[in-house]
């Protein structure tokens, strides 16, 4: 349910993803291009293409026998500017993500999951090189998104960890960091939103663990917060990249089901390393 095509920064047309999903005998495929934002962003969809995108996904959904296709967007949350609720009425579902944390001194929104040099710029100029303040603000924004513009699915909840190369900024076992995660999970639990388990960091080799980390997955399981498994594919070949390995991890933690959008409703499906089963 988390895929990107050439309507944003993905590779290839929607039809290529459909063909690959059919070859993989997938149950459902959701398109979730990066939603337009009201400033220049090279990896987001252009606002003038939104209607074309929605129409294209609808057309594929009507003409792809054996595969359910759903229209979604990955929507950024920036307070007072954009959030998942802004697009929800046009879609089957939304993925809500935080890619930007406040703004640089010149007013440019600060992207936290791009180049490390850009991360360091905001770390120094906005937060005076205080990583605890950076991380706390990131999770504060995630909670604000869930509370004020709740998405269907909360995207790559701890993706900011990709900037923590070799643990140079923080340890995920630090009490203050775990407190931020726990606060965020409590907020999500109250909302009823689904948390995605995202494999992109694994196959891109930007992380040795999925988003979120295994200890966070353990907390999700303990709190009975529903999850879905996504690859954040930017190429058709990545639709199920690292799914078997991640399914094994989820099973070892104790998860029995993952949520899938099926017949128009999010439903729990049993799974194993080979895929879904009724």
């Amino acid at each position: 349910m988390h895929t990107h095509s050439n309507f944003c920064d993905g590779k290839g047309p929607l039809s290529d993803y459909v063909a690959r999903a059919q070859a993989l005998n997938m149950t459902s495929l959701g398109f979730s291009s990066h939603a337009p934002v009201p400033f220049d962003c090279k990896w987001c969809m252009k606002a003038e293409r939104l209607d074309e995108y929605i129409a294209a996904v609808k057309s594929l959904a009507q003409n792809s026998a054996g595969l359910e296709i759903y229209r979604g967007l990955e929507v950024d949350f920036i307070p007072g500017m954009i959030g998942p609720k802004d697009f929800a009425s046009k879609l089957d579902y939304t993925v809500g993500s935080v890619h930007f944390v406040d703004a640089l001194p010149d007013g440019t929104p600060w992207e936290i999951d791009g180049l490390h040099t850009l991360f360091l710029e905001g770390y120094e100029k906005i937060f005076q090189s205080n990583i605890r303040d950076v991380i706390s603000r990131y999770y504060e924004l995630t909670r604000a998104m869930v509370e004020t513009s709740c998405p269907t699915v909360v995207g790559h909840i701890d993706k900011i960890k990709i900037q923590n190369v070799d643990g140079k900024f923080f340890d995920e076992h630090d009490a203050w960091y775990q407190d931020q995660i726990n606060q965020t999970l409590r907020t999500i639990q109250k909302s009823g939103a689904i948390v995605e388990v995202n494999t992109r960091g694994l196959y891109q080799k930007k992380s040795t663990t999925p988003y979120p980390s295994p200890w966070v997955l353990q907390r999700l399981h303990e709190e009975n917060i529903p999850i879905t498994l996504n690859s954040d594919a930017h190429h058709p070949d990545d639709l199920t990249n690292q799914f078997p390995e991640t399914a094994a991890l989820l099973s070892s933690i104790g998860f029995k089901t993952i949520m899938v959008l099926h017949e128009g409703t999010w439903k729990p499906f049993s799974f194993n390393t080979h895929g879904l089963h009724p």
Side-chain angles (χ1 to χ4, degrees):
M1 308 310 293
H2 191 159
T3 61
H4 299 280
S5 68
N6 59 8
F7 273 94
C8 56
D9 61 343
K11 310 300 181 186
L14 301 175
S15 57
D16 285 1
Y17 291 79
V18 171
R20 182 61 180 157
Q22 289 172 323
L24 290 166
N25 196 30
M26 294 182 74
T27 299
S28 305
L29 176 65
F31 288 109
S32 62
S33 281
H34 290 290
V37 292
F39 52 87
D40 185 46
C41 175
K42 65 182 183 296
W43 41 265
C44 292
M45 186 190 305
K46 302 301 181 187
E48 58 268 23
R49 298 201 71 192
L50 180 59
D51 289 343
E52 176 192 355
Y53 166 77
I54 290 173
V57 178
K58 281 185 177 179
S59 177
L60 284 170
Q62 294 165 357
N63 296 285
S64 298
L67 175 67
E68 296 181 22
I69 296 176
Y70 295 98
R71 60 189 184 277
L73 286 169
E74 182 179 15
V75 187
D76 274 277
F77 176 74
I78 304 174
M81 189 178 294
I82 188 175
K85 282 189 175 179
D86 296 339
F87 298 88
S89 65
K90 298 181 177 181
L91 307 170
D92 296 314
Y93 71 102
T94 55
V95 177
S97 300
V98 174
H99 296 100
F100 299 98
V101 174
D102 297 341
L104 294 166
D106 66 359
T108 302
W110 177 44
E111 185 181 340
I112 54 83
D113 70 341
L115 295 175
H116 192 60
T117 52
L118 178 58
F119 178 83
L120 292 176
E121 183 181 7
Y123 166 67
E124 294 164 3
K125 293 181 178 179
I126 304 171
F127 292 94
Q128 291 72 54
S129 302
N130 186 322
I131 194 61
R132 186 166 173 171
D133 286 350
V134 172
I135 299 298
S136 296
R137 180 60 175 152
Y138 172 78
Y139 286 113
E140 180 183 32
L141 287 169
T142 302
R143 294 191 294 271
M145 174 181 69
V146 172
E147 290 173 331
T148 66
S149 191
C150 192
T152 316
V153 177
V154 180
H156 46 61
I157 192 171
D158 63 352
K159 193 176 185 184
I160 199 168
K161 71 185 179 186
I162 64 172
Q163 304 294 351
N164 192 35
V165 182
D166 297 325
K168 74 174 184 177
F169 285 126
F170 62 90
D171 186 327
E172 288 191 39
H173 294 99
D174 289 341
W176 68 266
Y177 182 84
Q178 295 204 348
D179 180 60
Q180 287 296 323
I181 289 282
N182 287 329
Q183 285 187 56
T184 304
L185 296 189
R186 285 194 294 270
T187 300
I188 293 170
Q189 185 183 47
K190 293 175 185 175
S191 74
I194 298 165
V195 172
E196 77 164 1
V197 181
N198 183 312
T199 64
R200 184 165 172 78
L202 290 169
Y203 63 80
Q204 280 197 311
K205 301 192 185 311
K206 290 186 175 181
S207 175
T208 57
T209 56
Y211 314 126
S213 295
W215 71 269
V216 184
L217 293 173
Q218 180 67 48
R219 293 287 298 118
L220 286 163
H221 180 254
E222 290 168 357
E223 298 299 329
N224 294 311
I225 296 172
I227 62 167
T228 190
L229 180 57
N230 288 331
S231 67
D232 200 345
H234 286 61
H235 189 283
D237 288 345
D238 289 328
L239 280 177
T240 59
N241 205 331
Q242 293 292 311
F243 273 21
E245 298 87 345
T246 306
L249 171 64
L250 294 173
S251 292
S252 72
I253 290 170
F255 286 99
K256 303 298 183 185
T257 62
I258 57 174
M259 301 299 288
V260 176
L261 187 50
H262 179 58
E263 298 176 339
T265 304
W266 287 89
K267 301 174 182 177
F269 274 72
S270 299
F271 68 95
N272 58 31
T273 56
H274 301 291
L276 302 175
H277 51 92

